[in-house]
Amino acid sequence: MDDDLKTSVKGRILQVADLPTLPDVLEEVTRLVEDPDASTEAIAKVISRDQVLSAKVLKMVNSPIYGFPGRISSIQHALVLLGFNVIRGIIISTSVFDMMVLNMKGLWEHSLGCATACNIIARRAGFEDPEEYAVAGLLHDLGKVVTAVQLPDLHATIVATVRDKDLSYFQAEKEVMGFGHDRINAWLARHWGLPPNIREAMARHHAPHLAEFYKPMACVVHLGDFLVRLFEFGNSGDDQTAYLRPEALLELKFKMSDLDRVMDEMAEQFIEVSDVTF
Amino acid sequence: MSQTLEKSLFQRGQTAFLLSPDASLAAMLRALWSPDVLSFTVFEKGGKAIEHLFNDPPDLLIVDNRLADIPAVEVANLVKSENVYRQLPVVMCVDPVDVETPWNWNVIEVDDFLVRPFNPSEVRDRINLTLCRAMRALDANPLSKLPGNTSIIQRIQQLIDAGEDFALAYCDLDYFKSYNDKYGFSRGDEVLMMTARLIVNTIRSYHGIMSFVGHVGGDDFVFILPPDKAEDACQRIIAAFDDIVPHFYDPDDRKRGNITSVDREGKTRIFPLMAVSIAVVVNTGGRITHYGEVSSIAMELKKKAKENPRSCYVIDQRQV
């Protein structure tokens, strides 16, 4: 039974053809792509706030058609390589949620908060290309969005289970489906040809100690997710406290003082980001 | 109805062979173009034409299915089965009865077909289109699909002839060979595709101006812009390339900032990450009168750009 469910869920998830997003970012990007003077940097900055648009752009640039599959994990690079016409095409063909908007707003904020946190953590840890860690943070709950769009009934059951049994969203997913959005992330990332570092961080953000090749990135996203929940910035589907794996801090060689610094910086940046409305 | 060569779609006069016993078809075709634009050599029998075709292939072959001695399909396949003649576009003329049952276009490799009764203006445009399409397909770089050498030279000569000011930039990659040697051809192709895309998008981001991007082959690319945009374009291409190319290396090499590979003498050496060198020739005030001058100036500049192992550009500063 479990395996049958998994196969059918996977089938539905990978069939996702038209992933909607929230109207505000889409409107802003639409305005930018219609403006001939808008720079790619400006467009990249706005797209980097939206998990669905970011995922679409990365999926496109990493598709075999462009000839360098799985190589690009930065939105800025993706825009340079896709070019204005293709970006415009992606934006024009993206629709907005007609339902669930309120639900999704919390998740969008949580994802943006996590992206911001990952950028700060990666810089604190001295890693190169912190914006790629931000991309991984932005996409870490994409599986939840796709489930809500493709399997609305299952999604409703998970939401009800969170409420009725006082569970975290992740625990409720496991109770209802037998697996979580981390698994769904792995399917999506592989199917869309996303780069292996992003893929592993998306798939391992709940179990970073199991990451095989890109453990630092998985640990950054794990910590980012934990901290953004601590700040109660946005909502990822429940009000539970998440578990922080000590291995993640060890991997990043973080002491308490590092965490303090990261949280100070998060507090500062969240004031800026909270101007962003979804 | 017939135009001069200058006003036609073609850079030079085109030649066509018509293999048909139908004199009215030959007369119609000859009336559609002036002979300097498209001239026809007519063969009433197919067999006679084959040797001519192989010795001195025309730009276009039109084969009539009414040929008495040899089926049109056989002529078409004879041409298409030889790699050196494959690019020759073949148009087949048929009668309505011939198209009653579907043809297997995988076996009959013609480029287009015309059905009687012919409508002269349709015939004219179908054949013009076939010729243009063949030129594009022939010249496109097989990897990037960007226009190749013939189109590049044509474009430069056009600009020179029109007396327009332009900047022509030659881009190539430093240490591409060592990357290829270490990571293999398909990873090398990834870098070329990335570079092509990056140059195209940078050049296209200047709206409403004359521009062109071509792929000479391998790691050599060309772009053309108005002189006042050239320097900005070089800077943007270099910035984007230097930013993106490290991601095409394995994490260890990227962290180290170099790769260990084998040089031309077979010795193991350490090579820096790839960089892009750009040489820009500026033609203002009609200083340059022939394509050859452009390329010789560019080759000199390229040497200079190559002296720097990092990405860099050199702009030809000579004045009129």
Side-chain angles (χ1 to χ4, degrees):
Chain A
M1 176 58 202
D2 268 354
D3 276 356
D4 283 355
L5 179 68
K6 193 189 257 176
T7 310
S8 78
V9 168
K10 184 174 179 180
R12 288 290 298 145
I13 291 287
L14 297 186
Q15 270 170 21
V16 60
D18 177 28
L19 207 50
T21 187
L22 293 175
D24 289 359
V25 174
L26 191 64
E27 269 166 33
E28 194 174 346
V29 189
T30 307
R31 201 159 37 72
L32 282 175
V33 294
E34 299 301 339
D35 173 6
D37 296 326
S39 65
T40 29
E41 288 82 2
I43 299 171
K45 209 175 154 200
V46 179
I47 290 181
S48 303
R49 299 206 309 254
D50 187 292
Q51 52 180 323
V52 163
L53 292 180
S54 291
K56 286 184 180 205
V57 161
L58 290 175
K59 175 190 173 192
M60 181 85 80
V61 78
N62 285 301
S63 87
I65 298 165
Y66 285 85
F68 34 86
R71 293 269 169 238
I72 305 300
S73 33
S74 132
I75 303 297
Q76 168 72 18
H77 295 171
L79 297 199
V80 169
L81 296 169
L82 289 174
F84 226 64
N85 288 336
V86 176
I87 298 299
R88 263 194 76 206
I90 295 176
I91 302 300
I92 290 170
S93 63
T94 301
S95 56
V96 294
F97 281 105
D98 41 13
M99 289 177 299
M100 304 187 290
V101 174
L102 233 65
N103 261 336
M104 287 296 157
K105 277 186 178 181
L107 186 55
W108 250 247
E109 279 163 12
H110 168 74
S111 299
L112 175 59
C114 185
T116 311
C118 288
N119 192 319
I120 295 168
I121 296 164
R123 274 191 284 112
R124 183 82 210 157
F127 296 150
E128 268 178 51
D129 302 311
E131 59 287 352
E132 292 186 11
Y133 292 80
V135 168
L138 187 72
L139 302 184
H140 82 284
D141 273 347
L142 193 69
K144 293 183 186 172
V145 183
V146 180
T147 308
V149 171
Q150 289 297 95
L151 299 154
D153 295 343
L154 214 49
H155 178 248
T157 314
I158 296 166
V159 171
T161 309
V162 167
R163 190 184 51 223
D164 300 341
K165 299 199 174 167
D166 198 25
L167 294 177
S168 74
Y169 190 92
F170 187 46
Q171 288 166 328
E173 283 178 319
K174 289 198 163 168
E175 180 150 325
V176 174
M177 303 189 290
F179 53 89
H181 60 280
D182 51 347
R183 175 64 60 90
I184 294 174
N185 281 344
W187 296 336
L188 284 169
R190 185 172 293 279
H191 190 60
W192 290 354
L194 301 187
N197 54 351
I198 305 283
R199 186 176 74 214
E200 204 174 52
M202 286 170 71
R204 290 294 184 204
H205 70 279
H206 282 291
H209 56 295
L210 296 179
E212 260 183 295
F213 303 106
Y214 299 93
K215 197 176 264 179
M217 192 174 268
C219 290
V220 167
V221 177
H222 178 74
L223 179 58
D225 188 21
F226 173 81
L227 291 177
V228 78
R229 280 166 156 273
L230 209 63
F231 272 77
E232 294 179 7
F233 188 85
N235 186 300
S236 64
D238 62 67
D239 302 320
Q240 307 285 330
T241 320
Y243 176 70
L244 176 64
R245 289 210 160 260
E247 296 99 317
L249 292 180
L250 285 175
E251 175 71 34
L252 301 174
K253 301 190 179 65
F254 266 21
K255 296 195 280 292
M256 279 318 283
S257 59
D258 293 304
L259 274 186
D260 280 345
R261 292 285 189 79
V262 166
M263 287 168 71
D264 287 348
E265 210 176 320
M266 280 173 70
E268 271 169 45
Q269 293 206 13
F270 281 175
I271 295 172
E272 278 171 45
V273 203
S274 60
D275 290 343
V276 177
T277 49
F278 285 107
Chain B
M1 209 183 267
S2 44
Q3 286 178 313
T4 58
L5 182 58
E6 275 183 1
K7 287 187 180 155
S8 78
L9 299 165
F10 316 115
Q11 299 301 316
R12 54 170 182 82
Q14 305 285 301
T15 57
F17 282 5
L18 170 65
L19 278 53
S20 170
D22 179 353
S24 67
L25 172 60
M28 177 194 73
L29 289 170
R30 282 182 161 142
L32 287 170
W33 292 270
S34 106
D36 345 322
V37 176
L38 178 56
S39 67
F40 285 91
T41 310
V42 180
F43 299 86
E44 285 173 21
K45 292 228 169 86
K48 283 229 166 85
I50 308 286
E51 199 184 334
H52 287 280
L53 204 58
F54 285 170
N55 278 324
D56 190 13
D59 300 302
L60 171 72
L61 174 64
I62 303 177
V63 200
D64 194 342
N65 208 27
R66 288 186 181 177
L67 276 180
D69 59 334
I70 176 167
V73 168
E74 205 176 315
V75 178
N77 286 352
L78 209 56
V79 169
K80 294 293 184 182
S81 60
E82 299 300 323
N83 70 308
V84 289
Y85 302 114
R86 264 193 83 79
Q87 77 277 11
L88 166 62
V90 178
V91 175
M92 193 164 55
C93 297
V94 297
D95 285 279
V97 60
D98 296 331
V99 285
E100 275 172 11
T101 49
W103 294 67
N104 182 345
W105 300 112
N106 285 324
V107 175
I108 307 156
E109 292 186 74
V110 301
D111 296 82
D112 200 357
F113 66 96
L114 296 163
V115 187
R116 289 184 171 85
F118 303 119
N119 164 1
S121 34
E122 186 196 340
V123 168
R124 178 197 59 214
D125 272 84
R126 289 270 286 272
I127 286 175
N128 279 342
L129 175 60
T130 301
L131 282 165
C132 289
R133 194 196 291 128
M135 273 183 272
R136 285 194 291 262
L138 175 62
D139 191 42
N141 181 281
L143 179 70
S144 66
K145 312 286 190 291
L146 287 170
N149 253 323
T150 312
S151 312
I152 295 168
I153 295 170
Q154 259 174 24
R155 181 58 76 95
I156 297 168
Q157 196 59 49
Q158 257 171 28
L159 287 166
I160 291 173
D161 293 346
E164 259 186 74
D165 289 354
F166 66 89
L168 170 78
Y170 279 80
C171 311
D172 78 339
L173 306 185
D174 306 344
Y175 311 111
F176 176 68
K177 192 189 170 294
S178 37
Y179 180 90
N180 240 339
D181 289 345
K182 167 144 196 197
Y183 289 109
F185 287 109
S186 72
R187 293 274 294 266
D189 284 353
E190 288 185 2
V191 173
L192 297 178
M193 287 292 276
M194 179 273 283
T195 309
R197 204 62 208 160
L198 192 157
I199 296 174
V200 165
N201 287 329
T202 308
I203 300 313
R204 269 218 224 116
S205 66
Y206 301 99
H207 300 275
I209 52 153
M210 159 290 292
S211 70
F212 174 86
V213 179
H215 189 171
V216 181
D219 61 327
D220 287 303
F221 296 89
V222 161
F223 66 82
I224 302 174
L225 276 177
D228 61 322
K229 301 280 190 295
E231 184 156 13
D232 182 57
C234 290
Q235 289 169 351
R236 286 172 52 193
I237 287 169
I238 286 172
F241 183 87
D242 288 349
D243 210 20
I244 295 173
V245 85
H247 298 263
F248 286 71
Y249 288 83
D250 288 347
D252 291 346
D253 288 340
R254 188 176 147 198
K255 204 176 277 170
R256 225 180 287 122
N258 60 56
I259 62 168
T260 307
S261 185
V262 179
D263 72 4
R264 285 169 216 265
E265 276 86 49
K267 277 186 244 145
T268 305
R269 260 188 60 189
I270 292 175
F271 295 91
L273 300 190
M274 283 177 277
V276 58
S277 297
I278 313 177
V280 187
V281 181
V282 182
N283 187 27
T284 46
R287 176 167 63 103
I288 295 169
T289 55
H290 189 265
Y291 160 74
E293 294 171 58
V294 182
S295 65
S296 68
I297 298 171
M299 290 314 120
E300 252 174 73
L301 295 172
K302 212 163 124 178
K303 272 185 217 148
K304 228 186 232 172
K306 281 274 183 193
E307 285 166 12
N308 188 339
R310 313 277 291 262
S311 289
C312 67
Y313 61 95
V314 178
I315 298 182
D316 173 32
Q317 297 295 359
R318 272 167 288 190
Q319 297 301 313
V320 190

